[in-house]
Structures are given as structure tokens and as C-alpha cells.
Amino acid sequence: MKKILLTKEIINDVLKELGDYEVDIWDESKDGYLTKDKLKSIIAPYSGIISMLSNPLNEEVLKEAKNLEIIAQYAVGYNNIDVNYCKQNNITITNTPDVLSHATAELAFALLLNIARNISTSAQETKEGAWKGWEPKGYLGTSLKNLKLGVIGPGRIGTEFTKMCQGAFNHEVFYYSRSIKEDFEQCFQAQRLELNELMKSCDIISLHCPLTNETKNLLNKDNLHLLKKNAILINTARGEVIDQDDLVDILCRRNDLKVGLDVTTPEPLDTDHELFKLKNVIITPHIGSATTTARTEMGNIVCKSVKDHFLGRTPKFKISHENH
Amino acid sequence: MKKILLTKEIINDVLKELGDYEVDIWDESKDGYLTKDKLKSIIAPYSGIISMLSNPLNEEVLKEAKNLEIIAQYAVGYNNIDVNYCKQNNITITNTPDVLSHATAELAFALLLNIARNISTSAQETKEGAWKGWEPKGYLGTSLKNLKLGVIGPGRIGTEFTKMCQGAFNHEVFYYSRSIKEDFEQCFQAQRLELNELMKSCDIISLHCPLTNETKNLLNKDNLHLLKKNAILINTARGEVIDQDDLVDILCRRNDLKVGLDVTTPEPLDTDHELFKLKNVIITPHIGSATTTARTEMGNIVCKSVKDHFLGRTPKFKISHENH
């Protein structure tokens, strides 16, 4: 009977859904955090792995995975997996796109509203008794009506996010992408700009691109300083898309900027990190896909991907190695 | 020269805008909080007052206001003012409607997103180091897509809020109001319901009614228990529209509910209040109108109202006593 490793417990009843196979669920509370070395030492017998972004499936680990046929990644991104090694060794990779697009876009939208209107800061001060009474000049925020929105990476999530922004606040939409996105342009009367131009022109910049060699440190000291006065920057993509040290540098000099991050480098950040000391920054714990709906659907997909593969069918969300 | 009292410093340069009059700005840092007794003792010489919700302009205080002609309230609500006394004594009251509708609707919308997706709780835990790593079952929130929205008080603010909800999330809209609101129904394909029916049917309930004798404790133990499983309740109107003790009671029994409050009874609440202990409640410090845009426009209106009155013109936003 083929063996499957699930690296963290998920909402779905995986033992039932994958009842035809032998499923091991890594139990962190009993066996501790699944480090690279632990993963290396246990991976050999498994034909399938249901993996998380936090599992380092690099060459060093995969060399031990003598029986591995499929990695069903419980996420849309898979920058934790050595795709080239998998290609050479005939290991199928699948992911969970689409089903988390709305949830992640919603999270970006929630961060935007939160930071624009000082929700978390003001709520925390209220809770702690630091708020003494209503003040005409207290906790002044930015209205989001009719602003200019700049989307970096107008894919599925970027499109959902733009729908929310334009639907609620009538934003004028600009985007940055390697290629022209005709559907996006038509849907939102959006205009494509060079990155520097986008940074200079928009009141809101939101990142929705995957992490690749091209997008690593895409935002850095050469372009972060171009941000408009009072601009809002949102990152729900990957921490590494922003050079985090450069971000800290600019934020220490410009307290007009507001930043909402669902992703950082690393995750979690040390509690004494500079970003936690800034009032104009909010950081959530990588909860882009954290709705009951999205996580249930992600669970359905990983189970179906593994089953399809073992039954000789091509999983619907198989990663095409041609893109790499 | 007529004397004007401004009870708190505002963004606008009032001394310049009202340069033809003698303006005193109450300086809390120097003279302490403007209590009822202090207000009583200083009010006599003023012909005009630019007042805040926190200023008790009841009969006891107004009896001392021998020269008072106009109260220009820096808010849309004016439940701090004895309207009948003003009517009998020919004191004009003005408020600042419209200009804060968008800002307040936006705040209700921000609270909705915040509480639906656990933004503040999860951000606080991240900051404190309580978050140890990404979990498939961590911080699961509610997706807002296609839910049923119930608006209590479909006036200007309620209408702006509904536009945002329907524009971003395609909500099906229901409302509760004394009278049929045809424009609202047409604009959102909205359906009017009895209060109990609204509480039972909707995933989101948002309060946008003024505080009156009729709306005081409108939500109480008789209807709060009707809330749907996982319902979200938002109050950016006035604390007194909800019986707060009844709210605490139900929240202690039902942790599926989520509540966002920008208003409470009193403001601020004591820091040991039960509401601060609940993870499914977020409380902001009455910042509905707290955007630079809205507060500047509110300042423009109060100055213009006072000037218009003193120059013998009827202020545009004069409260009609006929409604009371």
C-alpha cells in the first residue's frame, strides 16, 4: 500500500478521503517541528507528500525520497520545492490555485482598510486605556475613495483584489507586469506602467506576483523612495519580493507611509524586529488563505491530486515544468 | 464683538476663519477636561459654541448660556444637546452631515473586514511572538463573498456602507427602517424586513441609525439571540443603540459571533470591561469621521454655520426643530 505523508494536520478528514492509502500525519505536538533534517530522515518510504510552504523540499532532502512520485503542495506558491530536481527525477508537483484567490485578495483588502484607518493601533490603545476621550485630531486616517491603485502582478489574486478596490472605492487602476494583460486592462480600464512610474503615481501599491528570481527584491532602495506622500504599500505575496532591510530604512525616514504585510522574511520575524516598532506597519501571520472555505477547498484539491496521480490520471493542478 | 467658544482644537485654523469674532479655544492640556460644571461656569458670555458630542449641552448648562444664539455641532449626531430647550429659547443648532458619511461607512467596512479575518488579534499575537509558524488551521476567518447584509438605518451612511459591501462582495441586501426607502431598495435590490426577521436572516448586521428614544437599546436580549451562526455585528452609530450588558451576555455564551464597535457606553470603556476580554470583539475609539478629508470639511462647515448665523443668513445645516 502506497504511503503518504501529510506534514501538518489540515481541516479535512484526510484519513477518510485517502482511505485507500497509508497516511501518516506529522504530529508537531508529539514529534516537534518538522525540520529539514527530520524530513530528510523520514522521507524515504513515502510515495506522496502533502506539503506546506514551510517544508524545505530542496535537493538535499529530495535525494532521500527514493519512492516519491508526487508532491501535492497545500498552497498556490511552491518556492520551497526544487522544481528542477523534480523534473529530472519525474516527481509530479501540484498546487492549489484559484480556490484561495478570493481569500487572499480579501486579506490584502482588509490590510489596506486596517492601515488606512489605523484600526489595530487605535483598538490596541483603546484596550490599554491610552485613549482618554474623543479628539477632533485623533487617529486621523486616509480616505480610500477615488485613489490611484497600482497592482504588481495582475494575476488571479491581483484581479480579485482590484475588483474589490474598484467596486468599493472607484479606484483608478494601474499595473506592472512583464506582459500586457488585455483582460485586466479591459475589465478595469487599467493602464500598464513601468515599475518606477507605478511607484511614483499610485496612492496604493499592492503586490500579487509569485516569488521568482525576477521578482526577488523587486521593491528595494532604488524604487521604494519613489513612493508618493502618504502612499500605502500592501504585501500578501512573499516577503522576499521586498528587500526588507531597505523597507525598514525608508520607513524610519518617512512616517507618512503606511505598510500592511501578511508575509515577511523570515516568518515569524523576531519580536525585536524593527518592523514591529513602527506604528505605521501592520503584520499578520501569513493568513492570506485563512478562511474556512478556502482551506477546505485546498484540502479537497491536495487529496484529489494525490488520488488522481496514483490512479494514473493527470492531476488538474499539476505544475508544468515547462515554465521553469 | 461676539464671542465664540470652540470646545476642542480642530484641524482648521479657526482663529483665521472666524477672524471677525473673538474666539476662545478650550485648551485641555492647560485647563483640564471640560466637564459639565466647568462648561456651566464659563458659558455665559458666548454667542456661539462649536461643540463636540462629549460636551453636555443639557438644560442645566444651557440655562447659564444667557447670550447663546447658535450651537454648531462638530458631528452629525447631536444627542448631547437638549433640542427642546434650544427650540424654546431660540438657539439655533447646526450639525455636519454628508461630509462624514463616506468616512464613517468606510470605518464600518474596515471593522467588518478586520473582525471577519482576525486581523488585529493575529497581528497582535505576531507582534508578541505568540505565533510560532504557519498552520493550516490557524486564524481561520470568514469569507465575505456573497453574504446577506442587513442594514439598520439605511440613511446616508448606511447607503455608502452598502455601496462598498455590494461593490466589493456582491452582498444581498436587507434593511430595517420605520419607513420604506424606495431609493435604497432600487439602488441595491434591497428588501425591507422586520427587525427580528433581519436578525435571523443576515450574516452581517450593521447599525447606521441615529440615537433617539426609539432606537435606544434597539438591539437587546430579545433579539440579539436571533443572530445567525457566525454572524458579524458592526456598530458605528451610537453605543446606546445596543443594550451593552445584553451584548456581553450573549457574547459570553456564543463565541461564533463577531463584533466590531466604534462606539460604546460610555466612551472610553473601563479597561477591565468584559468586552475587552473577548477575542471576537474589536473596539475602536469612535473614529468614524477620522479622516483628514472629513474632519477638514466638518471644520469648514461649523465655521460657515456660525458666520452665516451671525450675518443673518440661515445656516445650510440648521437642524429643523420640527423633527423633535
Side-chain angles (χ1 to χ4, degrees), chain B residues 185-313:
Chain B
E185 291 191 0
Q186 280 176 20
C187 190
F188 305 112
Q189 291 83 51
Q191 191 186 333
R192 187 167 166 235
L193 294 178
E194 286 306 312
L195 184 57
N196 283 359
E197 206 49 46
L198 192 89
M199 298 292 278
K200 269 189 254 180
S201 319
C202 293
D203 304 293
I204 302 160
I205 300 280
S206 193
L207 290 160
H208 299 287
C209 52
L211 174 62
T212 64
N213 287 336
E214 271 180 52
T215 62
K216 193 173 178 187
N217 295 332
L218 183 69
L219 298 196
N220 57 57
K221 64 176 182 306
D222 295 333
N223 48 40
L224 284 167
H225 73 278
L226 298 174
L227 282 166
K228 269 176 93 166
K229 188 165 159 55
N230 299 321
I232 300 174
L233 173 65
I234 305 293
N235 188 7
T236 53
R238 286 290 177 272
E240 291 85 348
V241 179
I242 305 180
D243 184 310
Q244 202 163 269
D245 292 336
D246 289 355
L247 180 66
V248 168
D249 274 356
I250 190 123
L251 289 176
C252 290
R253 282 180 289 120
R254 286 186 55 186
N255 63 12
D256 62 300
L257 299 176
K258 293 184 166 187
V259 176
L261 305 174
D262 188 44
V263 289
T264 56
T265 314
E267 292 172 10
L269 285 180
D270 281 345
T271 51
D272 61 356
H273 196 280
E274 206 59 43
L275 283 173
F276 287 127
K277 294 171 194 155
L278 298 164
K279 265 199 170 182
N280 49 342
V281 177
I282 178 164
I283 302 174
T284 47
H286 202 144
I287 52 172
S289 64
T291 68
T292 310
T293 315
R295 291 274 166 93
T296 304
E297 290 182 0
M298 288 162 71
N300 291 338
I301 289 177
V302 290
C303 290
K304 187 154 184 347
S305 296
V306 171
K307 273 195 287 193
D308 278 347
H309 176 82
F310 286 162
L311 295 171
R313 299 188 291 241

Side-chain angles (χ1 to χ4, degrees), chain A residues 8-11 28 52 74 102-103 106-107 109-111 113-114 117 119-120 122-124 126-129 131-145 163-164 167-169 267-268 271 276 282-293 295, chain B residues 8-11 28 52 74 102-103 106-107 109-111 113-114 117 119-120 122-124 126-129 131-145 163-164 167-169 267-268 271 276 282-293 295:
Chain A
K8 277 183 192 275
E9 202 184 331
I10 64 178
I11 306 180
E28 212 164 273
M52 313 289 148
Y74 186 81
H102 190 272
E106 208 176 67
L107 199 274
F109 196 52
L111 285 175
L113 276 145
N114 188 293
R117 293 300 297 274
I119 303 292
S120 291
S122 69
Q124 190 61 25
T126 305
K127 196 172 188 167
E128 290 167 356
W131 177 54
K132 298 302 179 192
W134 195 89
E135 287 296 333
K137 297 165 100 172
Y139 304 111
L140 290 187
T142 307
S143 170
L144 294 172
K145 201 174 176 178
K163 268 186 207 165
M164 292 173 197
F169 299 119
E267 291 172 10
T271 51
F276 287 127
I282 179 163
I283 302 174
T284 46
H286 203 144
I287 53 173
S289 64
T291 67
T292 310
T293 316
R295 291 273 166 91
Chain B
K8 276 184 192 276
E9 202 183 333
I10 63 178
I11 305 180
E28 213 165 90
M52 314 288 149
Y74 185 84
H102 189 272
E106 207 175 67
L107 198 273
F109 196 52
L111 285 175
L113 276 144
N114 190 292
R117 293 301 298 274
I119 303 291
S120 291
S122 70
Q124 190 61 25
T126 305
K127 196 172 187 168
E128 291 167 355
W131 177 53
K132 299 300 181 194
W134 196 88
E135 286 296 335
K137 297 165 101 171
Y139 303 112
L140 290 187
T142 307
S143 171
L144 294 172
K145 202 174 175 176
K163 269 186 207 166
M164 292 172 197
F169 298 118
E267 292 172 10
T271 51
F276 287 127
I282 178 164
I283 302 174
T284 47
H286 202 144
I287 52 172
S289 64
T291 68
T292 310
T293 315
R295 291 274 166 93

